[in-house]
Amino acid sequence: MATPEFPLRDRIGGVVAVWILAVVVALAIGVFAEPEWRGAWLPVGLGACFFVAFAIQLAYGRSQGFLVRVSASVLGAMLVMGLVGAGFALAELFAG
């Protein structure tokens, strides 16, 4: 007896969704956190992105490429949050 296949979903959509979440979280941290605490809050936001990426990829129901999809989500989120954080750091450097 063959096992039924789950419907194929767009695998890149979950990865990009985590990247978009990382932009939103980094912007929220940059706007609402005090400048001296931004560096402390960015890893917390990255941890939240990790758990969201894990949950999204588990929701796909496919084990093939699971680690690649989660790592691409988290690595992209780290790069995006780093760029946004660097932008806020440069803005703070030139503003003050």
Side-chain angles (χ1 to χ4, degrees):
M1 174 182 239
T3 59
E5 285 288 322
F6 288 106
L8 292 176
R9 298 177 185 155
D10 186 23
R11 293 183 186 112
I12 194 73
V15 174
V16 174
V18 174
W19 295 350
I20 293 170
L21 174 69
V23 169
V24 170
V25 168
L27 288 174
I29 289 170
V31 169
F32 296 116
E34 295 293 326
E36 60 270 4
W37 284 99
R38 286 182 189 146
W41 277 105
L42 283 174
V44 174
L46 182 62
C49 288
F50 169 76
F51 285 116
V52 169
F54 191 76
I56 287 174
Q57 297 307 325
L58 276 179
Y60 278 136
R62 307 242 343 158
S63 62
Q64 293 84 11
F66 175 78
L67 291 177
V68 173
R69 293 190 309 267
V70 170
S71 61
S73 298
V74 174
L75 180 63
M78 184 177 65
L79 291 174
V80 166
M81 290 183 86
L83 289 173
V84 172
F88 276 110
L90 287 174
E92 184 69 26
L93 180 69
F94 290 120

